[in-house]
Amino acid sequence: MRRLAFLAVCLAALSAPAAAIAHPLGNFTVNRFAGVELAGDRVYVRYVLDLAEIPAYQERGRVAKPGFARSLADKLELRLDGRRSQLDVVASRSTTRPGAGGLKTLRFEAVYRARGSGSRLELRDRNYASRLGWREIVVRARDGAVLGSASVPQESVSRELRAYTGVLPDVTHATARFTLGDGEARPPTLTGEAAPEREGGRFESLIAERHLSAGVIALSLLLAAFWGAAHALTPGHGKAIVAGYLVGSRGKPRHAVALGLIVTVTHTIGVFALGIVTLALSAFIVPEQLYPWLTLVSGLLVIGVGASVLRSRIKARRRHHGHHHHHHHDHEHEHDLRGLLGVGVAAGLLPCPSALVVLLSAIALHRVGLGLALILAFSVGLAATITGIGLVAVLARRAFGRLRLDGPLVRALPAVSAAVILAVGIGITLNALPEVL
C-alpha cells in the first residue's frame, strides 16, 4: 500500500507544474527585519531572522547557543543623538519549520531595549552583510511616544518576514526624529509565528521519503534523472552553446555523447565541491557568492571555445589539402578534445541549488549513499538533455549537408555558429562582472 501511495505521489509530481521551493526566496537566503519601537519613554528594537534551508543548516549550532542574541546586537548599531546605544536583550526565541528535502527553515526573534534616550536615532544592521536576502527596517511609535520624520515606513511590507511580496528590499540603514513619552511601556512580544509552510521541490523531496525499498529507490533515481532532464530545459545550461559548437566544429554523434559525459562529471563534482564549501568553509566563503564567479569562469571558457572554433573555421577556408593533410587531422583531433572539454565544463559548471539541498539533506538524514546516487542521476538526466540537443544539431547539419546546398550562407554556417558561441560567452561574462567586482 505504501508503494502504491508513493507511486501515486510520483505520478502527480510528473504531471504537476514547476515545483515550488520550500523557501519563497530560495534555499540560500538569510532574511532580516529590524523594527524600532518608540514606546513610552523607552526605545526598543525587535529583530527577526528568517533563514532558508542552507543557512539554517549552517547556523543551527550557533543559533542554539545562549549568546546568539547578544552577538546579533553587537552588529546592530543604534545611535541616539549621535551616541552609540547599548542594546540589552529582553527576550529571544527560535522556531523551525519543515523545508526542502527534510531540511528545516529557521526563524529567530529577539527584543532589545536601548540604553539612553534622545530625539534623533540612526540604526545600521550589519548582520549577515554578505548573504543574499530580504532586508527591511521600520520605525513606529506607541504609548505616548510621537514619531516625527523617518527614512523608512512604519509598517512592514513582509509582515515581519512572514509574507514576501513585491521587489526585494535592501534596507540596512534608517534614521528618524521623535519625541518620547513620559511613562514606561511594555516591550514588544515574541510571536514565534513563521511564514506558512510551502511545498518542497519535487527533486528535493525524494531524499526525504521515509519508507525505502529497492523499488522505491529505483523509482526515485528515475525521477531524479527526469527532473535533471527537465531542469536542463530551463534558461541557461549551455544549450545554445552546445548546439553552436557541434555545428561550428562539424561535430559527430560521438562528440555529442562525450559532451553529455563531461557535463555529468562536471555537474556532479561541482555539487560535491559546493557542499564541502558549505559544510567546512562557510566561515570564510559564502557559497552563494561563488555562483557569480562560476558564471564568470563559464563565460570565459565559452569565449575561449568560440574564439578557437572561429579561428579554426577561418583557417579551414584558406587551407590547402595535400602535404599537410595528416598533420591537420591530428591538430583537429587535439582541437576537438579541447573544445569538448571547454564546452562540457561550461555547461555543467554551475551546480543546481536543489542538488546541493539534496546533498545536505542526505548528510543530515544519514543517507549519504542515496543522496550521492540521486545527485548523479540528476546530473545524468541533465546531461541527457544536453546530449539530445547536441545530437539534433549534428543530425540537422548532416541533413542539410546531404541536400548539397553550396550557397555562401550554408558554407558560412560553421563560422557563424562559432561567432554565436563567442557572442554568448561575451554576454555571460559581461553579466557576471558586476556581481564579482
Side-chain angles (χ1 to χ4, degrees), residues 285-301 349-351 428-429 431-437:
I285 303 175
V286 178
E288 62 266 31
Q289 288 186 336
L290 291 178
Y291 276 85
W293 287 100
L294 292 175
T295 303
L296 178 62
V297 172
S298 178
L300 292 175
L301 278 173
L349 189 60
L350 289 176
I428 294 172
T429 303
N431 284 334
L433 279 175
E435 298 186 51
V436 300
L437 295 179

Side-chain angles (χ1 to χ4, degrees), residues 277-335:
V277 169
T278 301
L279 292 171
L281 301 175
S282 59
F284 310 100
I285 303 175
V286 178
E288 62 266 31
Q289 288 186 336
L290 291 178
Y291 276 85
W293 287 100
L294 292 175
T295 303
L296 178 62
V297 172
S298 178
L300 292 175
L301 278 173
V302 173
I303 289 176
V305 170
S308 178
V309 174
L310 183 60
R311 184 174 63 252
S312 175
R313 290 303 103 203
I314 293 174
K315 286 183 178 179
R317 297 286 299 272
R318 301 172 178 172
R319 186 179 291 117
H320 298 284
H321 293 281
H323 177 70
H324 299 289
H325 177 72
H326 182 71
H327 173 74
H328 166 63
H329 176 75
D330 292 340
H331 175 74
E332 284 294 322
H333 177 75
E334 181 183 353
H335 168 75

Side-chain angles (χ1 to χ4, degrees), residues 302-436:
V302 173
I303 289 176
V305 170
S308 178
V309 174
L310 183 60
R311 184 174 63 252
S312 175
R313 290 303 103 203
I314 293 174
K315 286 183 178 179
R317 297 286 299 272
R318 301 172 178 172
R319 186 179 291 117
H320 298 284
H321 293 281
H323 177 70
H324 299 289
H325 177 72
H326 182 71
H327 173 74
H328 166 63
H329 176 75
D330 292 340
H331 175 74
E332 284 294 322
H333 177 75
E334 181 183 353
H335 168 75
D336 287 345
L337 181 60
R338 290 199 308 267
L340 285 171
L341 284 173
V343 172
V345 170
L349 189 60
L350 289 176
C352 173
S354 296
L356 179 59
V357 170
V358 168
L359 177 62
L360 298 181
S361 300
I363 295 171
L365 298 173
H366 304 290
R367 293 179 173 179
V368 177
L370 177 60
L372 300 184
L374 288 173
I375 292 168
L376 181 59
F378 183 91
S379 298
V380 168
L382 180 117
T385 298
I386 300 296
T387 301
I389 292 170
L391 288 172
V392 169
V394 170
L395 296 177
R397 181 182 59 77
R398 287 188 171 186
F400 278 107
R402 284 195 291 269
L403 293 177
R404 300 185 181 282
L405 301 174
D406 294 325
L409 181 61
V410 174
R411 289 197 301 269
L413 185 59
V416 171
S417 299
V420 169
I421 297 173
L422 184 60
V424 170
I426 292 173
I428 294 172
T429 303
L430 292 178
N431 284 334
L433 279 175
E435 298 186 51
V436 300

Side-chain angles (χ1 to χ4, degrees), residues 13 19 68 78 85 90 102 105 140 148 152 207 218 220 249 256 270 299 301 317 324-325 329 368 394 405 415 435:
F68 182 66
L78 177 66
S85 175
V90 176
T105 62
R140 48 201 172 207
V152 293
I207 191 66
S220 297
S249 64
L301 278 173
R317 297 286 299 272
H324 299 289
H325 177 72
H329 176 75
V368 177
V394 170
L405 301 174
E435 298 186 51

Side-chain angles (χ1 to χ4, degrees), residues 161-201:
L161 308 185
R162 296 188 187 93
Y164 298 102
T165 58
V167 180
L168 189 75
D170 185 18
V171 181
T172 59
H173 175 246
T175 59
R177 292 187 176 276
F178 59 93
T179 302
L180 292 176
D182 295 328
E184 181 178 348
R186 70 188 188 285
T189 58
L190 301 175
T191 64
E193 178 189 352
E197 187 175 339
R198 291 169 59 95
E199 182 181 6

Side-chain angles (χ1 to χ4, degrees), residues 21-282:
I21 53 177
H23 194 282
L25 295 184
N27 306 118
F28 283 108
T29 55
V30 175
N31 307 291
R32 298 176 284 162
F33 167 82
V36 180
E37 291 200 19
L38 310 167
D41 62 352
R42 301 291 178 91
V43 178
Y44 295 101
V45 178
R46 174 180 170 78
Y47 196 69
V48 182
L49 288 177
D50 177 24
L51 277 62
E53 290 86 352
I54 292 175
Y57 184 85
Q58 294 173 300
E59 297 287 281
R60 64 196 187 283
R62 183 169 170 242
V63 173
K65 294 180 179 179
F68 182 66
R70 177 72 262 159
S71 67
L72 294 177
D74 291 340
K75 292 189 177 181
L76 277 176
E77 183 180 326
L78 177 66
R79 294 186 176 274
L80 298 175
D81 289 345
R83 296 184 298 274
R84 177 76 181 263
S85 175
Q86 177 71 35
L87 293 175
D88 298 325
V89 180
V90 176
S92 66
R93 68 177 296 177
S94 63
T95 54
T96 59
R97 296 294 297 269
L103 296 179
K104 296 182 181 298
T105 62
L106 189 148
R107 180 182 176 88
F108 181 86
E109 299 180 35
V111 173
Y112 303 100
R113 181 174 59 243
R115 296 183 186 179
S117 61
S119 61
R120 180 171 51 87
L121 69 83
E122 180 180 11
L123 178 68
R124 291 185 183 274
D125 182 5
R126 304 185 189 277
N127 285 296
Y128 297 99
S130 61
R131 304 301 295 254
L132 299 174
W134 187 283
R135 301 169 182 175
E136 184 181 9
I137 299 178
V138 301
V139 179
R140 48 201 172 207
R142 59 179 172 87
D143 297 334
V146 178
L147 178 62
S149 61
S151 63
V152 293
Q154 299 184 48
E155 298 298 328
S156 169
V157 296
S158 67
R159 292 180 46 239
E160 299 183 4
L161 308 185
R162 296 188 187 93
Y164 298 102
T165 58
V167 180
L168 189 75
D170 185 18
V171 181
T172 59
H173 175 246
T175 59
R177 292 187 176 276
F178 59 93
T179 302
L180 292 176
D182 295 328
E184 181 178 348
R186 70 188 188 285
T189 58
L190 301 175
T191 64
E193 178 189 352
E197 187 175 339
R198 291 169 59 95
E199 182 181 6
R202 305 290 195 269
F203 174 48
E204 299 97 308
S205 65
L206 298 176
I207 191 66
E209 170 60 28
R210 293 184 179 182
H211 307 289
L212 295 178
S213 64
V216 169
I217 292 174
L219 186 56
S220 297
L221 293 175
L222 288 174
L223 286 172
F226 170 82
W227 287 118
H231 181 72
L233 294 174
T234 58
H237 302 293
K239 296 181 289 294
I241 299 169
V242 168
Y245 172 78
L246 290 173
V247 171
S249 64
R250 303 184 185 275
K252 299 177 175 59
R254 60 185 173 86
H255 293 146
V257 174
L259 269 174
L261 180 61
I262 295 170
V263 170
T264 300
V265 173
T266 303
H267 185 265
T268 304
I269 291 175
V271 173
F272 295 159
L274 195 58
I276 292 173
V277 169
T278 301
L279 292 171
L281 301 175
S282 59

